[in-house]
Amino acid sequence: MSNNNTPIIVGVGQFVSRETPTHGHVLSALDIAGEAGRRALHDAGAKTDLNAQVEVMAVLRLFEDSTRKVAIVNNPFGGSNNVPGSIARRIGVSPRENIYCAVGGQTPQRLVNQMSERIHRGEIGCALLVGGEAIANIKYATRNGIEIDWNEELDDDFTDLWPVNNADNMVSAYEMAHGLFLPVQAYPLFENVWRHKAGHSVEQHRRVMGTLFSRFTQVAAANEYAQFPTVRSAEYLATPSAENYLLSEPYTKWMVAQDSVNQGAAVLLTSVGNARAWGIPEQQWVSLHGYGDCDDVNVIDRPDLSVSHAQNLAVGRALESAGRRIDEIAHIDAYSCFPIAVLSACTAMGLDPATEHPLTLTGGLPFFGGPGNNYAMHGIAEAVARVRGEPGSYALVIANGGYLSKHSVGVYGAAPLAEWRAVDSSEIKQQLQAHPRAPVTETPHGAGVIESYVAAYRRGQPAIGYIIGRQASDDRRFLAIAADGDGDTLNGLFDSEPLGRAVDVTRRDGVNQFRFASD
């Protein structure tokens, strides 16, 4: 029998809206998150009113609030000055602690890890984790001139984790000055190195990515909460077209996370003792059997750009702490904002990416939908449903934030552990710090070789190009851009195989610039 303080998940809720907004009826992200929270409370099936039991509510940060320097979502309709408080009112709960979380796709899984520890220590008795996005509604209303006023003013206190948010620390000033910021202009750095190591041309790798993600579309098509429940073939995904246009080499539109969604998800946690006292049926209980958290160093410092060593460590710690091998895991949800996120996760799990084992429970961020920082909450909800439906089975959720930067992983099973133990990730964090780093120079000069690159489009035309290279004189890594107006250099990133090509690097106004070396 499990101890009374063993933490368990007792409720999950998901919501999706595919309705076309109309004047007077446009769901906000707070409305969507509120509905997901209500569903999670109802899902527990308690004999007691659980609304009165929620002590802590943690809300995933809206995408529109996730950057300060560059807006990634333009919301002209306003919002709440207290997002957690507004969602709590919609759900009908009055937590003593309302939290507005930090940034990152790892956050839902990290919250489950953290709240489980707090419940186990007896600090809290019940926590509700909730998030939602209404970016599709925002975009539709903006395009169609629908007027909305989502402004809300509350006097209640809440904890805003932005001051301790590490999003700004994921990228250095040096990296940002040379173009590394938006994910679609960062993940190609990893993807191109992976394909080069695999011996693929750009076109060959597009077919590999198309095959991988075509299987994800089949899962999304069968998921009632998917935003885009359509089966798409490998050929369709790999072939640029007017509808599936190129974004950044080697990605087409449908190979990357789609944030134009209206989706919400929530998870309710408590202890075994409380679950018994509140009359929550045991068939609703799901336990976190193992977990791991580890954040990687900045992109420029990673010795191998095709993988994340921090992800390897986090996945390994989660499986080890659960006492499970990967072949004992029946259900896997690998974060899938870009194909390389799945390929890197396969490396961490020791799986061939061509495996027939499904690698998503939702359908993935491009096809299920990519609701900002909250996607992994949907993955956890699906994992809970799977292990409830197959007692004795285990599920693995791999969550990723930033640029393969922040990793949180959980192993789930329906049977609560007889003796639950908190997992110490400090050792793997020390291992990460001891791991070799690439030598870097911020002031390269002269000859170099391209190690990886980004070639991004704007409205179908080559627009942005930068490289990570190695200085010929000492093999130190550097960043450099194609100078404005240098069409020959920019086009060279799109028209040929840039990897391994020789370049000449100069520095101007604090920014490194490159040209292809003369033959």
Side-chain angles (χ1 to χ4, degrees):
M1 177 178 286
S2 300
N3 293 329
N4 281 342
N5 65 342
T6 297
I8 51 175
I9 292 173
V10 294
V12 294
Q14 296 188 76
F15 176 78
V16 63
S17 173
R18 304 188 199 98
E19 296 180 359
T20 301
T22 59
H23 290 275
H25 182 68
V26 185
L27 292 174
S28 71
L30 309 188
D31 298 329
I32 289 170
E35 177 60 25
R38 288 191 294 271
R39 292 185 180 194
L41 288 162
H42 181 265
D43 178 63
K47 296 179 180 179
T48 301
D49 178 14
L50 293 183
N51 289 50
Q53 307 301 332
V54 176
E55 297 177 40
V56 176
M57 190 175 76
V59 174
L60 276 293
R61 186 170 289 271
L62 297 174
F63 231 20
E64 65 195 68
D65 294 338
S66 293
T67 56
R68 297 286 170 93
K69 297 174 181 176
V70 178
I72 52 177
V73 175
N74 292 307
N75 174 15
F77 307 117
S80 175
N81 69 329
N82 179 347
V83 172
S86 291
I87 294 174
R89 291 189 178 191
R90 284 165 168 79
I91 297 172
V93 296
S94 300
R96 61 178 170 84
E97 187 178 351
N98 266 333
I99 303 170
Y100 198 27
C101 295
V103 176
Q106 84 292 343
T107 306
Q109 181 59 56
R110 192 160 295 186
L111 282 172
V112 171
N113 302 347
Q114 293 169 344
M115 294 300 169
S116 294
E117 291 177 356
R118 293 185 67 183
I119 289 169
H120 183 248
R121 291 194 298 264
E123 295 176 3
I124 60 174
C126 184
L128 180 62
L129 318 179
V130 62
E133 293 285 356
I135 298 172
N137 280 349
I138 290 171
K139 291 182 177 180
Y140 184 90
T142 301
R143 287 195 308 268
N144 291 276
I146 297 177
E147 296 183 3
I148 313 169
D149 183 2
W150 282 339
N151 287 299
E152 297 180 24
E153 292 285 335
L154 278 67
D155 294 329
D156 306 333
D157 292 331
F158 70 100
T159 300
D160 188 349
L161 294 184
W162 182 271
V164 296
N165 172 48
N166 64 353
D168 288 340
N169 298 328
M170 291 188 305
V171 57
S172 67
Y174 176 46
E175 290 168 319
M176 284 195 69
H178 291 85
L180 202 165
F181 178 64
L182 294 175
V184 76
Q185 295 169 16
Y187 275 79
L189 293 171
F190 317 135
E191 196 83 53
N192 282 316
V193 173
W194 195 98
R195 74 165 177 84
H196 189 60
K197 290 173 68 174
H200 299 161
S201 68
V202 171
E203 294 303 322
Q204 287 172 328
H205 192 62
R206 262 201 277 271
R207 290 195 291 273
V208 169
M209 296 187 296
T211 299
L212 174 70
F213 270 180
S214 65
R215 297 195 291 267
F216 280 52
T217 73
Q218 295 169 15
V219 177
N223 190 326
E224 64 179 307
Y225 300 111
Q227 193 76 54
F228 312 104
T230 301
V231 174
R232 293 176 170 87
S233 69
E235 181 180 5
Y236 173 84
L237 296 174
T239 304
S241 65
E243 199 273 337
N244 189 36
Y245 47 85
L246 286 165
L247 289 174
S248 185
E249 293 290 355
Y251 302 132
T252 60
K253 170 189 172 180
W254 285 107
M255 289 179 176
V256 309
Q258 302 296 313
D259 63 10
S260 188
V261 300
N262 301 316
Q263 291 174 306
V267 171
L268 181 68
L269 298 100
T270 189
S271 66
V272 164
N274 284 338
R276 291 191 181 115
W278 298 337
I280 299 175
E282 289 194 22
Q283 61 264 30
Q284 299 302 97
W285 302 3
V286 169
S287 182
L288 179 66
H289 282 233
Y291 58 97
D293 300 303
C294 196
D295 296 347
D296 217 328
V297 297
N298 283 2
V299 171
I300 192 68
D301 296 314
R302 299 175 196 171
D304 183 351
L305 293 174
S306 69
V307 296
S308 167
H309 187 57
Q311 186 180 56
N312 295 345
L313 292 169
V315 171
R317 178 49 52 92
L319 290 170
E320 176 192 25
S321 60
R324 298 295 158 195
R325 303 183 310 272
I326 192 62
D327 61 1
E328 296 178 288
I329 303 296
H331 318 288
I332 298 172
D333 194 72
Y335 207 83
S336 52
C337 49
F338 297 85
I340 187 60
V342 180
L343 298 174
S344 176
C346 285
T347 298
M349 291 184 286
L351 292 178
D352 186 331
T355 177
E356 293 299 316
H357 193 307
L359 298 172
T360 181
L361 302 178
T362 65
L365 283 90
F367 315 110
F368 172 82
N373 298 306
N374 199 50
Y375 165 79
M377 199 80 78
H378 293 272
I380 295 166
E382 293 290 342
V384 168
R386 297 300 199 284
V387 298
R388 280 176 176 172
E390 297 180 30
S393 68
Y394 296 91
L396 177 69
V397 174
I398 301 174
N400 153 43
Y403 319 108
L404 289 180
S405 304
K406 299 179 285 186
H407 304 279
S408 290
V409 183
V411 177
Y412 295 89
L417 296 169
E419 186 175 354
W420 194 89
R421 289 187 176 90
V423 175
D424 183 1
S425 289
S426 61
E427 180 186 348
I428 61 173
K429 293 174 183 178
Q430 292 171 3
Q431 291 177 30
L432 178 75
Q433 292 305 313
H435 193 62
R437 301 190 185 190
V440 175
T441 177
E442 295 190 7
T443 56
H445 182 76
V449 175
I450 296 177
E451 182 179 3
S452 193
Y453 70 100
V454 170
Y457 296 85
R458 185 180 296 123
R459 296 179 180 175
Q461 298 300 315
I464 296 171
Y466 74 90
I467 64 170
I468 283 183
R470 294 283 185 152
Q471 191 164 248
S473 61
D474 56 12
D475 201 41
R476 285 192 292 172
R477 184 181 276 166
F478 64 86
L479 284 157
I481 66 170
D484 288 343
D486 186 356
D488 290 342
T489 298
L490 179 64
N491 290 331
L493 292 176
F494 294 83
D495 297 339
S496 61
E497 172 57 273
L499 297 176
R501 287 190 64 182
V503 295
D504 292 318
V505 187
T506 57
R507 188 168 177 83
R508 182 175 181 180
D509 298 328
V511 176
N512 303 323
Q513 299 178 354
F514 79 96
R515 290 178 179 272
F516 290 105
S518 302
D519 294 332

